[in-house]
Amino acid sequence: MATFSTLPSVSYTDIQDLTDQIRFQGTEGKIWFGEQRVMLMQVSSMAAFRREITNAMGIEQAKGFFLRLGYQSGLRDAELARKLRPNNSELDIFLAGPQLHSLKGMVKVIPLEIDIDQDNRHFYGELEWVDSFEVEICQTELGLLDEPACWSLLGYACAYASSFMKQEILFREISCRGCGDEKCIIVGKPADEWDDADSFRGYFKADPTVGELYDLQSELNSYNHCINNQEEQYYGIGQSLSYKKVCKMIDKAAQGKVTVLLLGETGVGKEVIARSVHVRSERSDKPFIAVNCAAIPHDLIEAELFGVEKGAFTGANQSRAGRFERANGGTIFLDEVIELTPRAQASLLRVLQENELERVGDNHTRKIDVRVIAATNESLAKAVEEGRFRADLYYRLNVFPASIPALRERIEDLPLLAEHFLEKFHREYNKRTLGLSDKALQACLHYKWPGNIRELENVIERGIILTDNNDIIDLESLFAIAPVQDNTKDNIINTEGNLVSSSNYSQQHWADQIFDNNLSLDEVENILIKSAIEKSNKSISGAARLLNMTRPTLAYRLKKANLLCQ
Ligand SMILES: [Zn+2]
């Protein structure tokens, strides 16, 4: 057996930045690690799970399974390390991985030799694993193996180092206590420096039969998507009762020619629904014209919708058809129909009642066959009451009203919608992120979404633009200003390893720093005052507001401390 030097040549930086990532929301049933939701799980359950998987799949398949399990976790931690230690040395950033592994209670990692040169794509790592949980499982539950047993730890190391180096790094466990060796030692090098890299890589690909099944499944899903969501639209995406009910109703209306009135807040997807009604109707091969009535100036709206004859008014230099004529045989979607002028309302009523229209400045009547789908986010009934909207037109439009629920009323549909937009923008930007972090999704589920689905779409597009390939979309990339979250009830781990309330902790943390730096109360006051003045652009009134004191009081203290503007 080979012997190894036990003197670690590499030392760790402080682990506090990593420990600070753990937050316990005991009453909420959640534990967070950075933006990832984690959970505490007994090693003994893991042991039982591993035994079952090994029995069901055989040792080779099970090994691949656990390597991939670790791999996923390593990918995410590499990202976290880069984020938490942006200004540290290459080595200190890299060592966050082994430190995270230890912090999570999986194994104590002693780096024996780490040689990193990202510019020259050079990597060599030799590390010792002490008290691996996977060895413990072998010793207590499964018995010793014939080969190294620290599978998920190894998967983690491969993913972490590869993601860190942005090239394929493979680690191998060259000796393992799980198979009777004295120590667990791993060695990592770029893949092309291993002779058997190809066969080892095989473990990181999922079981081919399982893979095929997944492929088939996703093919089927995308096929269904195509049927249900023509032109990448999100009509029909959702499982909430309220939304399913509306969809069922709209499906029924789609086939005939009945006028549909879509109600709901802005951004709930009224145009998407209107389009899907058209696509499902017998008119689907004829035009679909969408008009936002609020976007057209009042004095032009009649001509825009119903057409105009040459010379009808100044600027009408030639005759042209309006949107209704262009939609002939098909469907017209009138969004914000409440914005129509009285004359346009009268013309619309005529279309609905007589199937005919006259262009502005024309006395020739034209037959027209257009299905009308109207939408509004204001109450038409109220507009009728106030005399802003014709009652007879309202009754004509209100034959088949459908109320589209706001996103916050069907928030359980958000993950599906988010998934839909992720796919859409991955395609559009030719990118592949790892999707939303658990924390980001959590924030989405608690946000009120005043702009509804359209806002969600914009937020996800922003997230994808700001996130690199193979990274997770975090809260910060998703929202320019993160929705307010109450963290004061969280518990975190202090330096002694005890669980404490985060609000007390940050106060204590702050106080400890002051004591550690031997600062007097006067010095603390001066630092506070100076930084308030900096923050408020040297304005004394501004600084006084920040410090919650009056301007004269601050001026007095400035004078006393001899801090007056230098
Ligand atoms: Zn081992």
Side-chain angles (χ1 to χ4, degrees):
M1 192 186 304
T3 52
F4 303 98
S5 112
T6 43
L7 278 178
S9 56
V10 191
S11 61
Y12 287 125
T13 171
D14 186 33
I15 202 169
Q16 187 68 40
D17 57 341
L18 308 179
T19 315
D20 285 347
Q21 296 303 307
I22 308 176
R23 298 187 91 84
F24 289 80
Q25 293 181 311
T27 51
E28 300 298 310
K30 293 193 180 84
I31 307 174
W32 296 97
F33 192 82
E35 296 215 351
Q36 301 298 314
R37 184 173 170 180
V38 296
M39 56 185 188
L40 292 175
M41 184 181 180
Q42 291 93 335
V43 172
S44 56
S45 324
M46 193 58 167
F49 181 55
R50 178 153 160 163
R51 186 190 314 120
E52 196 164 318
I53 292 280
T54 309
N55 289 343
M57 293 178 158
I59 201 148
E60 275 301 290
Q61 299 275 17
K63 182 175 170 186
F65 183 90
F66 282 97
L67 274 163
R68 294 193 294 278
L69 186 72
Y71 199 90
Q72 286 304 320
S73 157
L75 276 186
R76 283 163 169 74
D77 280 2
E79 197 190 331
L80 187 65
R82 279 195 298 268
K83 207 176 287 174
L84 291 180
R85 297 186 169 169
N87 303 318
N88 294 46
S89 70
E90 245 179 0
L91 182 63
D92 279 345
I93 304 174
F94 178 79
L95 287 176
Q99 286 177 301
L100 282 166
H101 232 165
S102 299
L103 187 59
K104 289 177 177 176
M106 294 182 176
V107 64
K108 177 179 175 180
V109 192
I110 301 176
L112 303 175
E113 190 183 339
I114 308 277
D115 201 356
I116 303 177
D117 184 349
Q118 276 182 316
D119 296 337
N120 293 312
R121 301 173 63 77
H122 172 72
F123 181 89
Y124 181 81
E126 198 174 316
L127 304 99
E128 179 182 352
W129 279 337
V130 180
D131 289 335
S132 144
F133 83 96
E134 290 182 291
V135 167
E136 188 174 314
I137 286 176
C138 291
Q139 287 172 339
T140 56
E141 296 262 341
L142 302 174
L144 291 187
L145 297 185
D146 300 331
E147 53 173 314
C150 302
W151 299 334
S152 70
L153 296 183
L154 194 65
Y156 180 98
C158 292
Y160 183 85
S162 300
S163 171
F164 182 83
M165 291 296 295
K166 298 202 179 346
Q167 62 170 318
E168 193 183 8
I169 305 291
L170 293 181
F171 270 90
R172 308 297 288 273
E173 199 175 7
I174 56 169
S175 76
C176 178
R177 290 172 60 225
C179 59
D181 294 331
E182 192 193 333
K183 290 175 176 179
C184 292
I185 301 279
I186 56 166
V187 167
K189 294 187 286 192
D192 49 22
E193 293 176 31
W194 292 99
D195 294 336
D196 54 353
D198 264 347
S199 63
F200 187 66
R201 268 190 201 119
Y203 288 115
F204 294 109
K205 298 198 182 86
D207 178 356
T209 51
V210 175
E212 265 167 46
L213 260 179
Y214 274 123
D215 286 349
L216 271 178
Q217 183 70 40
S218 72
E219 229 169 80
L220 190 65
N221 280 346
S222 66
Y223 179 66
N224 283 340
H225 258 246
C226 287
I227 296 178
N228 292 329
N229 314 296
Q230 283 91 353
E231 296 168 24
E232 296 185 10
Q233 299 294 353
Y234 50 81
Y235 175 74
I237 299 182
Q239 296 172 331
S240 61
L241 275 182
S242 59
Y243 190 61
K244 271 172 127 173
K245 214 168 120 191
V246 175
C247 289
K248 214 167 153 186
M249 211 166 100
I250 288 168
D251 287 348
K252 282 200 180 121
Q255 286 112 32
K257 199 208 155 183
V258 65
T259 303
V260 177
L261 179 61
L262 300 174
L263 307 165
E265 292 177 13
T266 176
V268 290
K270 284 170 284 195
E271 183 173 339
V272 171
I273 290 176
R275 202 175 281 277
S276 90
V277 167
H278 172 72
V279 169
R280 285 143 196 264
S281 71
E282 293 127 26
R283 308 171 160 255
S284 57
D285 56 337
K286 296 286 185 335
F288 173 86
I289 304 281
V291 185
N292 182 356
C293 303
I296 304 170
H298 274 176
D299 48 344
L300 293 180
I301 200 158
E302 229 191 315
E304 194 56 42
L305 289 178
F306 303 102
V308 65
E309 275 306 297
K310 187 175 171 183
F313 51 80
T314 331
N317 299 328
Q318 60 189 74
S319 305
R320 62 186 163 85
R323 309 271 182 112
F324 270 89
E325 280 178 69
R326 275 185 266 157
N328 202 11
T331 308
I332 195 163
F333 171 60
L334 299 174
D335 200 2
E336 315 244 20
V337 70
I338 204 163
E339 295 292 331
L340 289 182
T341 57
R343 287 175 60 97
Q345 290 180 30
S347 304
L348 174 57
L349 185 63
R350 189 167 168 200
V351 171
L352 291 172
Q353 277 177 338
E354 325 281 348
N355 290 318
E356 57 185 38
L357 60 77
E358 266 170 37
R359 290 182 180 178
V360 178
D362 195 7
N363 48 18
H364 163 65
T365 300
R366 292 160 202 263
K367 275 286 165 198
I368 191 97
D369 169 30
V370 172
R371 178 192 209 164
V372 175
I373 301 176
T376 170
N377 51 37
E378 269 183 75
S379 162
L380 279 184
K382 193 163 160 258
V384 169
E385 246 171 63
E386 293 166 357
R388 285 189 290 142
F389 204 80
R390 292 179 70 118
D392 44 7
L393 178 57
Y394 169 59
Y395 295 125
R396 272 282 166 181
L397 290 176
N398 201 31
V399 188
F400 200 96
S403 221
I404 322 300
L407 181 52
R408 70 184 154 280
E409 289 159 5
R410 47 181 289 228
I411 199 74
E412 64 265 47
D413 292 338
L414 185 135
L416 285 172
L417 287 162
E419 198 59 39
H420 170 80
F421 291 127
L422 282 171
E423 260 182 46
K424 174 181 168 188
F425 291 118
H426 278 155
R427 258 197 314 273
E428 264 183 51
Y429 289 95
N430 198 15
K431 247 182 166 177
R432 191 134 291 269
T433 70
L434 296 180
L436 302 186
S437 77
D438 297 331
K439 196 120 217 178
L441 180 60
Q442 181 86 358
C444 286
L445 291 172
H446 284 105
Y447 182 56
K448 295 291 175 219
W449 298 106
N452 290 295
I453 299 180
R454 191 178 305 138
E455 187 181 7
L456 175 68
E457 185 173 4
N458 294 340
V459 158
I460 295 218
E461 183 173 12
R462 175 190 150 86
I464 288 191
I465 292 172
L466 292 180
T467 305
D468 290 334
N469 268 327
N470 291 319
D471 275 359
I472 288 190
I473 302 176
D474 58 17
L475 191 57
E476 223 172 83
S477 343
L478 210 55
F479 293 96
I481 300 162
V484 182
Q485 288 195 330
D486 181 13
N487 290 331
T488 53
K489 290 196 211 93
D490 293 4
N491 288 320
I492 57 178
I493 300 171
N494 67 9
T495 32
E496 283 83 45
N498 298 319
L499 214 54
V500 293
S501 151
S502 68
S503 50
N504 294 343
Y505 175 72
S506 56
Q507 242 174 49
Q508 188 53 48
H509 199 48
W510 181 69
D512 282 344
Q513 278 180 350
I514 292 171
F515 299 137
D516 290 348
N517 287 311
N518 269 328
L519 293 175
S520 71
L521 204 52
D522 281 343
E523 282 168 314
V524 172
E525 187 181 306
N526 291 349
I527 291 172
L528 274 178
I529 291 177
K530 269 187 190 163
S531 83
I533 288 178
E534 281 302 312
K535 263 190 192 309
S536 50
N537 273 334
K538 306 226 152 113
S539 144
I540 295 183
S541 315
R545 269 197 300 278
L546 273 181
L547 294 163
N548 215 354
M549 55 173 69
T550 63
R551 192 183 183 285
T553 315
L554 177 60
Y556 170 75
R557 294 206 186 188
L558 283 170
K559 209 166 156 191
K560 190 183 96 186
N562 226 350
L563 285 172
L564 263 181
C565 294
Q566 296 93 347

